[in-house]
Amino acid sequence: MQSLWMLVASFLFSIMGVCVKLASADYSTSEIVAYRGAIGMLMIAALIRFKGGTLKTRMPYHHLVRGGVGVVSLWLWFYALGKLPLAMAVTLNYMSPIWIAAILLVSAWWGKQRGLTWQPVAAILMGFIGVVLLLRPSIHADQVIGGMIALLSGMLAAWAYMQVRQMGLLGEPEYRVVFYFSMTCAVAGLLGTLIGKSFHATVGDVTWHHLDSKGIMLLLAIGVTAASAQMAMTRAYRLGNTLVTANLQYVGIVFSSVWDVLIWKESLAWLSWLGIAVILCSGLLATFYNAKTNRKPIPGDAISSE
């Protein structure tokens, strides 16, 4: 049941996506990344002070690699959103569970992953079919480069998720993983804004924009939901079944579709509703299978004093 933390993460990420879409009208990608990271750092630091814990880590290299890969994936994701129709960009980015399954299958083939069966892999493929039905993407010749970038973003996201799980298995607590990733986002966003090399603008076009009450609320919501979602996601990958957790990520697109209907008054065709049903069924099947083959979870709390 620890994999169900991914449902919490997906819901929070969907709220973050709404806020990012609203904030992007007034702030550059670099600014949003910087504020997201800085607010996340402050939130985790306050949590550590309140409950105890330490930022001292024995895995600086792991954090550096995870942060670098995650930030690049994030930036490519924003770039793809600017170059592709939303349906295509989201579909390609949500292929990360497919890449996770591929990584685990290759590991199983070489004898590094034991006990891998076809049922959770089939559930992931079923979930992706649901994504395609929901979004019904199409791509044109002038969108090939953007499509490849979105695909690369999903691949890097899968790599980052596997690194998160590896650090969790090695005993690194969630709050520390999220703190150092938030710090990487803050530094990368700050540098991107200062040197004017954002993926959404040409050199020299990116500056710090004025913060009004609306902007402050949106950026605070982005930082808080992002940090909270990352905590839940990290816990899910650390304690839950990897493939089940990856499959539950698809539910995030259902949440996003609901926000589209409620906020932007988008209408969903019957194929879209069928896709939502397929996604939910794939998550239920994966969770049911995991409940039958559940292993004892790895002990550990989100905050630990070391």
Side-chain angles (χ1 to χ4, degrees), residues 153-184:
S153 173
M155 295 174 65
L156 291 176
W159 185 11
Y161 297 152
M162 294 299 291
Q163 290 173 324
V164 166
R165 177 165 178 81
Q166 181 185 19
M167 285 191 288
L169 293 176
L170 292 174
E172 193 75 341
E174 291 94 343
Y175 73 89
R176 200 179 292 157
V177 175
V178 175
F179 179 87
Y180 285 112
F181 177 65
S182 297
M183 183 176 68
T184 306

Side-chain angles (χ1 to χ4, degrees), residues 12 28 32 58 62 77 80 83 88 122 124 135 159 168 179 184 190 224 226 233 250 253-254 257 270 273 276:
L12 292 173
S28 68
I32 295 174
R58 294 168 294 178
H62 291 78
W77 164 236
K83 298 296 183 181
M88 173 55 67
I124 287 180
L135 299 177
W159 185 11
F179 179 87
T184 306
L190 176 63
V224 171
M233 182 193 71
Y250 284 134
I253 202 168
V254 177
S257 298
W270 70 270
W273 289 111
I276 290 176

Side-chain angles (χ1 to χ4, degrees), residues 230-294:
Q230 287 171 348
M231 289 280 286
M233 182 193 71
T234 303
R235 187 175 186 86
Y237 274 105
R238 182 170 73 93
L239 300 178
N241 180 284
T242 304
L243 290 179
V244 174
T245 301
N247 186 66
L248 290 174
Q249 180 184 347
Y250 284 134
V251 181
I253 202 168
V254 177
F255 293 135
S256 298
S257 298
V258 172
W259 290 125
D260 273 337
V261 172
L262 295 178
I263 298 176
W264 288 280
K265 308 303 180 183
E266 297 285 346
S267 59
L268 297 180
W270 70 270
L271 278 176
S272 297
W273 289 111
L274 177 61
I276 290 176
V278 172
I279 292 170
L280 294 176
C281 286
S282 70
L284 289 173
L285 289 174
T287 304
F288 175 75
Y289 172 76
N290 187 52
K292 292 176 62 177
T293 59
N294 185 42

Side-chain angles (χ1 to χ4, degrees), residues 29 33 36 63-81 93 148-160 163 181 184-189 197-199 230:
T29 301
V33 171
R36 169 183 168 174
H63 285 291
L64 180 63
V65 174
R66 185 268 183 271
V69 172
V71 167
V72 172
S73 174
L74 182 67
W75 238 301
L76 292 176
W77 164 236
F78 284 129
Y79 176 82
L81 284 174
N93 184 261
M148 295 298 293
I149 289 175
L151 192 65
L152 179 60
S153 173
M155 295 174 65
L156 291 176
W159 185 11
Q163 290 173 324
F181 177 65
T184 306
C185 287
V187 173
K197 293 183 178 179
S198 168
F199 281 114
Q230 287 171 348

